[in-house]
Amino acid sequence: MILKPNIHDIKNIGYYLGKVLMGLAITMVIPIATALACREGNPCLDFVIGFVITLCFGLLLTALCRHTPHVAGEALRKTPLASPEQDLNWMQGMIVVALSWIGAMFLGAIPLFLGGHFVSYLDACFEAMSGLATTGLTLVQDLDHMSYAHNLWRHLIMFIGGQGIVIVALSFLVKGGSGAFRMYVGEARDEKILPNVVHTSRFIWLVSAVYLFLGTMALGLAGTLNGMKPANALFHGACIFMAAFDTGGFAPQSQNILYYHSFPFEIITVVLMILGAINFRLHYHVWMGNRKEIAKNIETVTLFITILLTFFVTAIGLNQLATYPAALTLFRKGFYQLVSGHTGTGFMTVYAPQLIKEWSPLALAGVIYAMGLGGAVCSTTGAIKMLRVGIIFKALVQDIKKIILPERAVIMQKFHHVQAAFLEDKQVRSVFFITLAYLLLYGFGALVGMWCGYPFLDSLFESTSASANVGLSCGITAVGMPSILKITYIFQMWIGRLEFLSIFTLIGFFVAAIKGK
Amino acid sequence: MSKRKAQSVWCGVRGIVIVLAWAAASASFCCAEPLSSTEIISQAARYDNATVTYTGEVIGEIMRRGAYCWMNTSDGKNALGIWVPVDMAKDITYTGSFKSMGDMIEVTGVVHRSCPQHGGDLDIHAEKIRKVQEGRLRQEKLNTEKLKYVFIAMGILGAIWILRRLLYR
């Protein structure tokens, strides 16, 4: 029997959703300050409007959905603020996460739309979801004349989304508890680094803040040496860092990384993309001095092997058409696009039409495979992810051993992920389920693309890029693409970033609300 | 006699027409008509190593690299990197940003589909630059409509705040 959600469920979801939206509103203070510092009047107004509307929603939800203690009269008046927060159960936690991302998309798009760089509000929503989900596909118009405040916001939402919107709220606005852990899991992070989930969130922020400083300085220095003014180089450095470490792929200029014409810039961004694609748990162990973990961990080993294999395929493909006659050029272009795709970043050093016109189908297939695989779990990347790919490989080896070895032989497959563990059937089943779900999602977007009249390979490329939160584009993503395709890609970016569970729970919640008793 | 003369005149005219047609055809391929960024990018193989003319607005920053500099130039569809000797770039006054419209320039230069000098980038090595239109600073007027919305939104926020206090008083 399906149970209908009750008012307690709705109030609890609404209350935490309100908290998350308040967290989002607070982050809008940063572009407001930037606009004031850069004397950008109208952009400042755009963000004040966005800030106030978001805060209104947050305050309204927390006020209306606040739990009042079951006391009456004088006693209630004496304890007006007593325990308004009640812990979330699994269903509520998942739904808060799913709705938070949708809410953040609609509200985060307000200042973008008001800035006048988007043809429609749908396009601004596309940009906001692309930023939050760290995808990097863009529908922005006239980016080269965008204000500092709006440009910073595009990258900031990438930074927030990469760490996790809920992580922002967990770190500063929500008390730690089992409910907090459920929201944390709902945001596709099933690994705790520290025993307390709030401490885990704060550690993730600490890691990101340290890298933000180092990355911005490195990119700022490279920019200055490449002929940019120091202040502008630092701004670009901060934006590019946020997009690289959070494997997003936006850039402050329309040419993306090609704007800089700089080899050092490319090297630094490759390092940042790989750092962003590594599990935060691994970062923690390396920070604690356990450097051997890098070489032993199943995720890093799998990442290394898959990068080599997919680059091999891409390089053969590029060689077929002799697009880049010199070997070094082939390596520089091929490897950059490949790593960008594999880590789910989406930075480009070629123009989008070049991918389709000058790269052979084999080279594109190599990049599509890489995009579909993704980075590590508990990182900022999307897609199937390295732990799952590694486990599938181990399960395959185990099954082959079962066939080859005598029936009586006891076969236990081990893998190392921070600690040694035995492969369990339950784990393998779960991994296969998520992998299958991703493959279906890639296929679904490709079908919609073909239905809209695009060729198969182009549709598959763009669909995989959206679902795996990559952001590489072969040219389909443009203002003129059909609205149905824009909505499909928004849906794919959302579901791909949250790894299905929260979305399935949300669907289940609506089904229960209609059919439940 | 007059017939022979007429024949020789006709031959001469025919020769001139052929030469002119050949010149027009080669000029149209090389540089006469300015190409758009979309044409250069989508037909990069066709224009590889060809001298073309491209017109666009200088955007971002002019990044100096020794005796040369990078000047990214946008025609509204895409921006292309132009590799320019520093001397040629000295007349550029404005570059496009939020606060300014950049100078419009006409570049005549060689397209490289995969430039061996610049890591395989698609770029243009400028041979000649002509400023077509001077850029300008953009005067930003405060949008009164937006200001009105700010006050309305502030009012709603205040009302919600009061409602909140009343609910849990």
Side-chain angles (χ1 to χ4, degrees), chain A residues 21-56 104-118 124 127-128 132 140 143 145-158 160 235 239 242 250, chain B residues 98 140 142-143 145-147 149-151 153-154 157:
Chain A
L21 294 183
M22 281 162 72
L24 182 75
I26 291 167
T27 58
M28 286 191 195
V29 173
I30 298 169
I32 291 173
T34 308
L36 288 173
C38 299
R39 295 180 185 175
E40 295 172 340
N42 287 318
C44 182
L45 293 182
D46 298 340
F47 282 98
V48 171
I49 294 170
F51 167 77
V52 175
I53 292 175
T54 311
L55 199 60
C56 282
M105 176 192 77
F106 282 119
L107 296 167
I110 292 172
L112 290 176
F113 180 62
L114 293 174
H117 288 268
F118 294 91
E127 189 85 357
L132 289 165
V140 69
L143 178 59
H145 292 105
M146 190 178 249
S147 69
Y148 281 108
H150 282 102
N151 232 334
L152 182 68
W153 180 240
R154 289 173 70 238
H155 293 86
L156 194 62
I157 53 175
M158 215 159 232
I160 295 165
F235 175 78
C239 288
M242 288 190 264
F250 282 161
Chain B
F98 177 68
E140 193 198 8
L142 212 57
N143 187 327
E145 276 292 298
K146 283 182 184 174
L147 206 58
Y149 287 124
V150 168
F151 285 121
M154 289 281 202
L157 180 67

Side-chain angles (χ1 to χ4, degrees), chain A residues 186-209:
Chain A
E187 215 165 38
R189 290 191 200 282
D190 40 10
E191 292 188 345
K192 270 201 290 188
I193 300 163
L194 296 162
N196 182 307
V197 74
V198 173
H199 292 163
T200 300
S201 305
R202 286 180 187 159
F203 175 76
I204 289 175
W205 277 110
L206 175 71
V207 171
S208 306

Side-chain angles (χ1 to χ4, degrees), chain A residues 338-388:
Chain A
L338 193 276
V339 169
S340 174
H342 205 315
T343 56
T345 309
F347 278 154
M348 291 176 86
T349 57
V350 296
Y351 292 97
Q354 282 185 286
L355 282 179
I356 287 298
K357 301 217 175 217
E358 304 201 342
W359 285 40
S360 73
L362 185 65
L364 283 182
V367 179
I368 293 174
Y369 273 119
M371 290 196 297
L373 296 175
V377 297
C378 197
S379 69
T380 62
T381 64
I384 295 168
K385 296 196 174 94
M386 289 298 101
L387 182 61
R388 298 192 184 107

Side-chain angles (χ1 to χ4, degrees), chain A residues 425-447:
Chain A
D425 283 348
K426 192 179 150 192
Q427 197 177 24
V428 174
R429 199 166 53 243
S430 150
V431 162
F432 267 108
F433 169 74
I434 298 285
T435 306
L436 182 67
Y438 267 113
L439 294 177
L440 288 173
L441 190 65
Y442 300 157
F444 166 71
L447 282 178

Side-chain angles (χ1 to χ4, degrees), chain A residues 38 41-43 46 52 62-63 66 114 145 226 229 232 255 259-261 324 329 332-333 351 357-358, chain B residues 42 44 57 59-61 63 65 70 72 79 97-99 113-114 119-121 140-141 143 146 153 164 168:
Chain A
C38 299
N42 287 318
D46 298 340
V52 175
T62 47
R66 189 168 174 269
L114 293 174
H145 292 105
N226 281 328
K229 288 177 190 136
N232 209 28
Q255 286 157 286
Y259 170 82
Y260 304 98
H261 306 281
Y324 305 107
T329 312
R332 187 167 157 185
K333 289 291 172 195
Y351 292 97
K357 301 217 175 217
E358 304 201 342
Chain B
S42 60
E57 179 197 354
I59 49 137
E61 274 191 80
M63 292 175 277
R65 310 275 165 92
W70 279 110
N72 291 301
S97 68
F98 177 68
K99 294 197 171 173
R113 172 203 188 191
S114 162
D121 288 358
E140 193 198 8
K141 281 184 187 170
N143 187 327
K146 283 182 184 174
R164 229 174 110 95
Y168 298 105

